[in-house]
Structure formats: structure tokens, C-alpha cells
């Protein structure tokens, strides 16, 4: 509903009946602030819709996957043989970690004991190529302490915490799994497998806010699917006109989702489609970020501010 403002004019300009003339006040555009991981141009962006002068970018190294918030203003992304940590306040990379065992690392997750695990794809030529995903476990001192195998999987992508301690979610070429690590033995056990119904290269899977299941960005399938815990598909959302590769997402308190859309490895592949889609709670696209001059292919997103976060 628009706001009406009553303006009283100078008496010399007033006509009978015009003492109070309704004027519609201009609506204030919604404010959106994102952190975006840009795979094709190797950057982490701060995007602010209301303050263009506040936008900036931090150069990083590819592949720029698995954007994770460490604390306010501090994020981690995967780079070659390890990860980088960027500080948005300092506007720079503040730490780089590499290890020879992380030759094709795809994601990093923190452990309850202060250590972390990394998902690794065995490289072409390795005996394990396309036969398993390796989970490298590091101590809090960042020393490699163990490796476990998830057999039958290949081309892992992102990895996120599940709801139980020592439980994790892993996206791979044809779906995602829930798995658990034994904190004593380091062994990995698959809890449940969720095959994707269309396309390949499922990129991201995250727990939903209600506890009903999981959101999954179905990679080249160009769909965002909401899975129940038992594997039933609760919803399937897509962009009917310009779907490409659905990557990382963020669910909002109202049930809507912001979806990062990856459009290619080339710096100018952003011309092929918008960088971010916003679905409302019914799966309708209600907003897009489409700025191919500023952004490349977006693999990751974190929402710092959006209208849906302020609704009560």
C-alpha cells in the first residue's frame, strides 16, 4: 500500500478545494546485500543494491567453490590444493592453506573437535579415479590425520554439515549423500543416498530451515529441488527461460530461496544468463541479479541483507 503525504501549498497558488492535495510518496527499493563467489573471474564480491559505491571485489584463486562464512565478514573458499580465507573488512585474502593431499579438493567442513575435513576427487590416472571420493581429515593443528573412502561416488562438489554431530552432506555427480564420520576410528559410513532425477553434477545440498529435508541445486539439471528426509521430492523449481547450472543457495525465513546460477568457465559467460535468481515460497521467480559486466559465473552466495530477512 502506498503512503499518502498531504502538502499545503502557498495561499497565492491555492484554488478552492485544493488546500489538501494527496501526493504519492516514492517507494524505497528493497535493499539486498550479498557475498558472491565468482568462479569464472576468480573473485569474491560484496554486492550492495542500495549503495553502488559500497560494491567491491577481492581477487582469489580458482576454483572458488564452497563459499562458507567463518564469522562476520570472514569467508572461506576452495582454491588449488587447499583453501583461502578472505576478510571483507580488510578487503583481502588473509590466509591461504595448501596441502599435497588436496590435489583436487572440492569442499571443506569444520569438525566438532576443531579440525576439518576436505572432500577430494582422485585425479585422472589414479586407481581411484571415478571410483571413490576421498575424505581427508585434519587436526586442529592442520595436520593430516586420516583418510576415508566413499566408494561408488565420483566428482564430488560441495559438502555441508548435516543435523547430527559428525554428520555431513556431500554433493556428487549424480545426487547427494548423508554420511557420518566415526570420531574415534575416522571411518565414514553412508547414512542415505539421494539420486538426482534430472541432469548431472549436483553442486550443493543444504539442510532446510524447517527440518523437513534438504535443498539441492541440481547442477546441469537447472533445478532447485526440495527433498524430504526419506527422499521424496517436495518441490522442483526452475527458471523456464534461462536455466543454466544451479549452484549454491540460501533459504530465507519466509521459505523463499536465493539461487546462484553458474553459466560457464569463461570470463564473459555471464552474458548467457543472470547471476542470481530469487524464488518466492511458491517457486515463482520474483527477482534476478543480472549484471554481466560486473560479475562472471556465480558458484556461491551468502545473503547479508534482504527484505525477507526483515519480515515479521
Amino acid at each position: 500500500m502506498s503512503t499518502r503525504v498531504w502538502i499545503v501549498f502557498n495561499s497565492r497558488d491555492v484554488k478552492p478545494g485544493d488546500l489538501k492535495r494527496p501526493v504519492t510518496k516514492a517507494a524505497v527499493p528493497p535493499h539486498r546485500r550479498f557475498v558472491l563467489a565468482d568462479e569464472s573471474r576468480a573473485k569474491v564480491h560484496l554486492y550492495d543494491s542500495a549503495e553502488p559505491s559500497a560494491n567491491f571485489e577481492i581477487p582469489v584463486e580458482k576454483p572458488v567453490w564452497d563459499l562458507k562464512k567463518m564469522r562476520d565478514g570472514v569467508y572461506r573458499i576452495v582454491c588449488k590444493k587447499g583453501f583461502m580465507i578472505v576478510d571483507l573488512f580488510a578487503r583481502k585474502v588473509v590466509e591461504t592453506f595448501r596441502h599435497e593431499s588436496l590435489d583436487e579438493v572440492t569442499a571443506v567442513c569444520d569438525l566438532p573437535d576443531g579440525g576439518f575435513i576436505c572432500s577430494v576427487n582422485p585425479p585422472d590416472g589414479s586407481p581411484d579415479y571415478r571410483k571413490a571420493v576421498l575424505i581427508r581429515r585434519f587436526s586442529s593443528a592442520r595436520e593430516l590425520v586420516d583418510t576415508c573412502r566413499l566408494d561408488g561416488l565420483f566428482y564430488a562438489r560441495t559438502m555441508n554439515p548435516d543435523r547430527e554431530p559428525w554428520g555431513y552432506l556431500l554433493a556428487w555427480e549424480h545426487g547427494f549423500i548423508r554420511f557420518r564420520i566415526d570420531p574415534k576410528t575416522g571411518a565414514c559410513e553412508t547414512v542415505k543416498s539421494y539420486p538426482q532425477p534430472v541432469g548431472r553434477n549436483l553442486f550443493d545440498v543444504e539442510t532446510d530451515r524447517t527440518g523437513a529435508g534438504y535443498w539441492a541445486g541440481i547442477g546441469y539439471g537447472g533445478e532447485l529441488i526440495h527433498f524430504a528426509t526419506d527422499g521424496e521430492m517436495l518441490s522442483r523449481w526452475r527458471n523456464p527461460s534461462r536455466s543454466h547450472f544451479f549452484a549454491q543457495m540460501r533459504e530465507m525465513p519466509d521459505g523463499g530461496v536465493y539461487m546462484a546460477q553458474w553459466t560457464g568457465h569463461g570470463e564473459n559467460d555471464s552474458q548467457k544468463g543472470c547471476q542470481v535468481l530469487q524464488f518466492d515460497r511458491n517457486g515463482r521467480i520474483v527477482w534476478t541479479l543480472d549484471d554481466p559486466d560486473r560479475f562472471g559465473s556465480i558458484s556461491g552466495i551468502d545473503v547479508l541483507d534482504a527484505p525477507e530477512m526483515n519480515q515479521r
Side-chain angles (χ1 to χ4, degrees):
M1 180 181 293
S2 62
T3 302
R4 289 183 176 271
V5 179
W6 296 96
I7 299 178
V8 179
F9 296 88
N10 188 291
S11 60
R12 290 174 295 180
D13 301 322
V14 172
K15 298 178 181 179
D18 267 356
L19 285 178
K20 293 184 178 180
R21 183 179 302 166
V23 177
T24 301
K25 185 178 180 180
V28 177
H31 188 196
R32 294 179 174 91
R33 295 177 66 239
F34 304 146
V35 180
L36 301 172
D38 188 334
E39 189 265 359
S40 66
R41 298 183 186 176
K43 296 174 181 177
V44 172
H45 298 270
L46 189 285
Y47 166 77
D48 191 318
S49 66
E51 296 290 341
S53 62
N55 296 335
F56 64 86
E57 57 199 33
I58 301 172
V60 290
E61 295 179 18
K62 290 189 176 184
V64 204
W65 295 343
D66 193 43
L67 179 74
K68 281 192 173 74
K69 181 178 179 178
M70 309 298 292
R71 57 186 182 274
D72 285 348
V74 179
Y75 288 80
R76 181 175 62 207
I77 58 98
V78 165
C79 67
K80 184 174 176 58
K81 293 190 176 183
F83 58 80
M84 287 181 162
I85 296 178
V86 298
D87 187 324
L88 300 182
F89 298 114
R91 299 194 180 188
K92 64 180 181 180
V93 175
V94 293
E95 187 176 357
T96 301
F97 174 81
R98 303 187 201 274
H99 195 278
E100 287 301 315
S101 71
L102 304 179
D103 189 33
E104 292 197 17
V105 61
T106 71
V108 184
C109 267
D110 296 317
L111 294 171
D113 64 1
F116 58 90
I117 53 173
C118 300
S119 53
V120 175
N121 290 326
D124 191 0
S126 163
D128 290 323
Y129 177 65
R130 294 180 64 91
K131 294 180 179 178
V133 170
L134 306 180
I135 303 298
R136 310 283 197 192
R137 180 179 171 184
F138 289 79
S139 69
S140 58
R142 298 192 171 180
E143 297 172 342
L144 179 64
V145 295
D146 205 356
T147 298
C148 66
R149 298 166 53 96
L150 293 169
D151 290 310
L153 309 182
F154 56 94
Y155 291 157
R157 287 297 177 251
T158 57
M159 184 168 53
N160 285 302
D162 202 350
R163 293 185 170 90
E164 304 82 20
W166 297 90
Y168 297 90
L169 307 166
L170 177 74
W172 68 289
E173 179 76 353
H174 293 309
F176 72 91
I177 67 164
R178 294 164 52 209
F179 73 97
R180 185 179 183 278
I181 297 177
D182 187 313
K184 295 181 180 179
T185 67
C188 296
E189 176 187 8
T190 298
V191 177
K192 185 173 177 58
S193 178
Y194 300 74
Q196 67 186 91
V198 64
R200 64 179 181 85
N201 207 334
L202 192 149
F203 189 84
D204 188 39
V205 55
E206 301 184 8
T207 58
D208 65 15
R209 285 176 173 265
T210 65
Y214 304 93
W215 290 104
I218 309 296
Y220 287 114
E223 293 186 351
L224 174 62
I225 298 184
H226 191 193
F227 288 90
T229 302
D230 64 5
E232 177 188 359
M233 282 187 291
L234 302 175
S235 63
R236 295 176 71 169
W237 299 346
R238 65 180 293 110
N239 179 0
S241 59
R242 301 178 74 187
S243 276
H244 288 275
F245 182 104
F246 279 8
Q248 193 177 44
M249 80 291 295
R250 283 292 180 268
E251 183 185 10
M252 293 291 99
D254 67 347
V257 176
Y258 284 93
M259 182 84 246
Q261 184 172 237
W262 182 90
T263 50
H265 292 291
E267 286 196 11
N268 296 319
D269 282 343
S270 54
Q271 300 285 346
K272 297 177 180 178
C274 61
Q275 292 78 55
V276 178
L277 306 168
Q278 181 191 359
F279 291 100
D280 70 10
R281 62 184 302 169
N282 298 309
R284 295 172 299 192
I285 296 173
V286 295
W287 179 86
T288 61
L289 172 61
D290 194 355
D291 188 349
D293 292 333
R294 177 179 293 275
F295 305 110
S297 290
I298 303 302
S299 62
I301 181 172
D302 190 35
V303 180
L304 302 180
D305 192 15
E308 302 75 29
M309 299 174 72
N310 303 315
Q311 294 176 357
R312 294 172 183 248

